Amino acid sequence: MNLFRVITRVSFDPQESAFIQVQKLGYFPEDVRHIILTHMHFDHCGGLLDFPWAKVHVHRREYESFTKEKHRWTDLAYIPRHISKVRQWQLYDTKDELWYGLRAIRLPFTPEMWLVPLHGHSWGHCGVAVKLEKGWFFNAADAGAVYNNTTPAWLIKLVLGPHDALLRQFMNDHPDVILSNSHMFPEWFIPGVWQ
């Protein structure tokens, strides 16, 4: 995990945990009944320990990659203890459904949500699309760096996978979809910046 601390900024401040953030939003942690994972690297599933009652939704390929023998350097970001308290899993397989022309899996939630396979950063990495009152929010997680124009394309492909160009084109073609990546600058999430 120390290798990943060098190449990505991850806050290890307990006040930044999902558990505390849920409370700051005025909810009880027990209100969290479902968690949708884009992938299972430590910086995306480390908080599962705080929500053992929640059902965790993830692509089957990602779950199987996490629980089996590791083969790639990015598999070092799988930390077994992070899933040790999960009691309920909902695993999904890629189907022939489409969301905005991308292969996708309709999730059983309202508002409408889709799991969008973007394998590459990890074996079963997916984005998550959520229907808004007007348009869509699409978190492509670690599948690209569409707001980063300084990192070389070869490095993005090596670390994040093969989908950055696709996501950049998607963002240009679909201005009604708000696309985000993980590890973006905090100012992007301030209300009013992208609304």
Side-chain angles (χ1 to χ4, degrees):
M1 188 165 66
N2 289 334
L3 168 67
F4 291 92
R5 287 184 182 188
V6 171
I7 61 176
T8 187
R9 281 186 3 199
V10 177
S11 173
F12 288 92
D13 178 357
Q15 293 301 308
E16 294 296 320
S17 70
F19 190 89
I20 299 295
Q21 296 305 308
V22 166
Q23 291 174 321
K24 286 182 177 179
L25 289 170
Y27 297 98
F28 295 105
E30 295 78 12
D31 293 335
V32 176
R33 298 186 317 272
H34 297 275
I35 298 172
I36 303 167
L37 295 177
T38 58
H39 62 300
M40 297 175 69
H41 285 168
F42 74 92
D43 54 329
H44 293 263
C45 78
L48 291 178
L49 293 168
D50 290 335
F51 303 95
W53 55 84
K55 181 182 278 191
V56 178
H57 302 257
V58 68
H59 198 284
R60 182 180 309 278
R61 183 172 160 167
E62 182 67 7
Y63 176 81
E64 289 177 353
S65 176
F66 186 100
T67 56
K68 294 191 176 165
E69 186 177 340
K70 311 302 183 250
H71 300 284
R72 300 183 331 169
W73 71 272
T74 56
D75 293 345
L76 297 172
Y78 293 141
I79 309 297
R81 75 174 178 275
H82 289 164
I83 67 167
S84 63
K85 293 186 179 180
V86 176
R87 292 179 236 154
Q88 299 179 75
W89 291 97
Q90 180 66 54
L91 305 180
Y92 296 91
D93 296 297
T94 304
K95 301 177 182 178
D96 289 329
E97 299 175 293
L98 295 176
W99 173 80
Y100 273 86
L102 301 174
R103 290 184 75 189
I105 303 154
R106 175 76 189 265
L107 298 175
F109 298 111
T110 302
E112 186 178 338
M113 295 183 194
W114 293 81
L115 203 57
V116 181
L118 297 168
H119 308 324
H121 174 66
S122 68
W123 289 106
H125 185 287
C126 292
V128 178
V130 180
K131 180 83 170 112
L132 303 174
E133 192 173 305
K134 294 180 181 177
W136 288 84
F137 177 77
F138 180 29
N139 176 12
D142 288 351
V146 297
Y147 297 97
N148 177 343
N149 293 315
T150 58
T151 302
W154 67 266
L155 183 57
I156 290 172
K157 185 173 183 179
L158 175 70
V159 176
L160 302 181
H163 301 291
D164 189 67
L166 170 88
L167 293 170
R168 288 172 186 266
Q169 186 63 51
F170 181 91
M171 191 168 61
N172 288 333
D173 293 346
H174 303 287
D176 57 321
V177 178
I178 301 163
L179 191 144
S180 73
N181 291 127
S182 301
H183 312 290
M184 291 175 58
F185 49 94
E187 295 78 18
W188 190 88
F189 295 95
I190 296 171
V193 172
W194 54 265
Q195 291 178 338

